[in-house]
Amino acid sequence: MNFHAKPTTFVGHVKIKVVDLKRSLSFYQDILGFDILEQTGSSVKLTTDGKTNILSLEQPENAVPKQSRTIGLYHFALLLPQRADLANLVVHLSEKGIRLAASDHLVSEALYINDIDGNGIEIYIDRSPSEWNWQAEEVKMTVDPLDFENLLSNSSPESVWQGMPEGTVMGHIHLHVSELVKTEEFYVKGLGLDVVNRYGGQALFLSSGKYHHHIGVNIWNGEGAPEPAQNSVGLQSFTLVLPDEETRLEVIENIERIGGNVKEEGRYYITSDPSGNRILLDV
C-alpha cells in the first residue's frame, strides 16, 4: 500500500522559516540535493522530481534564530525510495562533515541532522509493512542503534549520492506541543487520524491507513510550552492532504464541533492545533 497517496490522509508539504534564505538554500541544494521549483526574494519551493513541491523555505522579515522550549517543529521527515539511497547518504554526509544521529525504529531506519538554523530533519527508509509488529491498534516502535555496517553493505564505490531521489516524499512531521489531551482530541476527533503508538505519556504517534505515523506530537519542551515569535526560525505550516472534498468538509465540521477554528484562504482551508501549529487542509 502507498501510505503517501490518496485515499490515505498524509503530510504532503512542510514550510519552514530560516534566517538567511541564500545560506539555507545552499545547504538544501549542495548538501541534501534538492532542486528549485520556484523562487522569490523571500521564499523558495523545493522539489525532488521537478514538479512536486514537498518543502518550502521562507525568510521572514527581521528573522530571528530558533527559540528554545517552544512549540513547533521537532523535525520533518523525508522518506527515501530505497535502502541503498540511505546508505549513499550516510557516505555523502560523512564526506561533507555533517554531524548526524541515527536510530533503528523497527518500522524504519533513520538518520537525523539539523539544517543551518537548527531545524530538525529526519531522513529515513521504511521496512516492509509485513515486518511491522502490531499489537491491537498500536505498532511497536523503538529507538535502537542503527546497524551502520549492515546498512552500508548496500552502498558501493560506484553508487554515490546524487541528490534527493525522484521518489522522495514527505514521510511525516513531528511536532512539539504544549499538552497531549486536547491535542489528541484535535488530531483524532478533528482530523480523523488514529493513535498508533503512545510513547511513555510524553508523545503520541498518529496515522491514516495503518501507517506507523504521519504525525508525531510530544511535550518534550515542557507542558505549557509557548508559541515562538512569528519571525522565529521553525515551522511556518504543514499541509495535510485529505482524500477528497467531501472528507475535507467533514474534517472542517469536526474541527469546529470540538471548538477549533478553520478559515478559507485560496485553495486551502487553514486551521491550527490546540498549541498553535498551523495546518493547511488540501485535497
Side-chain angles (χ1 to χ4, degrees):
M1 178 179 178
N2 189 339
F3 296 106
H4 300 87
K6 298 177 181 181
T8 302
T9 295
F10 62 96
V11 177
H13 173 264
V14 172
K15 188 172 188 177
I16 60 172
K17 293 175 284 187
V18 299
V19 168
D20 185 315
L21 185 62
K22 183 178 180 180
R23 182 184 66 170
S24 292
L25 187 54
S26 177
F27 174 86
Y28 281 96
Q29 284 187 288
D30 299 342
I31 301 299
L32 292 186
F34 277 95
D35 293 322
I36 295 175
L37 186 63
E38 186 179 316
Q39 185 172 3
T40 68
S42 60
S43 66
V44 61
K45 296 179 179 179
L46 299 175
T47 183
T48 63
D49 64 3
K51 54 188 178 181
T52 308
N53 172 217
I54 63 171
L55 178 66
S56 296
L57 313 177
E58 176 185 69
Q59 180 182 324
E61 188 174 351
N62 301 316
V64 297
K66 183 178 180 180
Q67 295 179 295
S68 63
R69 311 297 291 179
T70 60
I71 64 98
L73 184 70
Y74 180 49
H75 62 245
F76 63 84
L78 302 165
L79 174 59
L80 302 179
Q82 300 181 45
R83 195 167 189 244
D85 297 323
L86 194 68
N88 294 338
L89 180 59
V90 170
V91 175
H92 171 70
L93 292 176
S94 177
E95 291 174 346
K96 292 290 186 178
I98 303 297
R99 296 182 61 182
L100 61 85
S103 289
D104 184 330
H105 295 304
L106 296 183
V107 295
S108 62
E109 295 173 287
L111 307 178
Y112 295 90
I113 62 174
N114 289 325
D115 72 5
I116 299 295
D117 291 298
N119 288 305
I121 306 169
E122 176 182 346
I123 307 171
Y124 73 110
I125 57 101
D126 277 334
R127 286 199 168 91
S128 169
S130 64
E131 299 179 45
W132 302 352
N133 182 8
W134 288 87
Q135 298 176 341
E137 298 302 313
E138 293 201 19
V139 65
K140 186 175 181 181
M141 294 192 287
T142 61
V143 187
D144 292 337
L146 182 65
D147 187 341
F148 277 102
E149 183 177 354
N150 183 277
L151 175 63
L152 290 172
S153 67
N154 286 260
S155 186
S156 68
E158 296 78 28
S159 179
V160 297
W161 180 255
Q162 296 180 334
M164 283 287 163
E166 183 175 328
T168 302
V169 298
M170 187 62 67
H172 64 265
I173 192 168
H174 195 153
L175 305 166
H176 291 294
V177 296
S178 58
E179 58 81 55
L180 291 180
V181 176
K182 291 182 179 179
T183 297
E184 179 174 347
E185 179 185 47
F186 175 84
Y187 283 98
V188 175
K189 294 183 178 180
L191 295 182
L193 300 175
D194 299 313
V195 175
V196 291
N197 187 276
R198 297 178 186 273
Y199 191 78
Q202 298 285 306
L204 298 173
F205 296 90
L206 306 110
S207 81
S208 167
K210 299 286 281 189
Y211 190 50
H212 56 73
H213 67 293
H214 290 103
I215 298 176
V217 293
N218 72 69
I219 53 171
W220 297 333
N221 274 351
E223 290 194 74
E227 293 185 48
Q230 287 295 312
N231 59 337
S232 167
V233 161
L235 180 69
Q236 200 277 342
S237 64
F238 71 93
T239 301
L240 196 64
V241 182
L242 300 166
D244 49 44
E245 186 61 31
E246 183 180 353
T247 303
R248 181 161 70 171
L249 293 175
E250 182 180 328
V251 164
I252 291 168
E253 183 178 330
N254 290 338
I255 291 172
E256 291 175 340
R257 182 179 294 119
I258 61 174
N261 295 310
V262 184
K263 66 177 182 178
E264 187 175 0
E265 191 172 300
R267 58 175 285 194
Y268 302 107
Y269 285 86
I270 300 175
T271 187
S272 295
D273 70 14
S275 298
N277 292 304
R278 192 166 182 258
I279 306 163
L280 280 58
L281 304 175
D282 197 8
V283 293

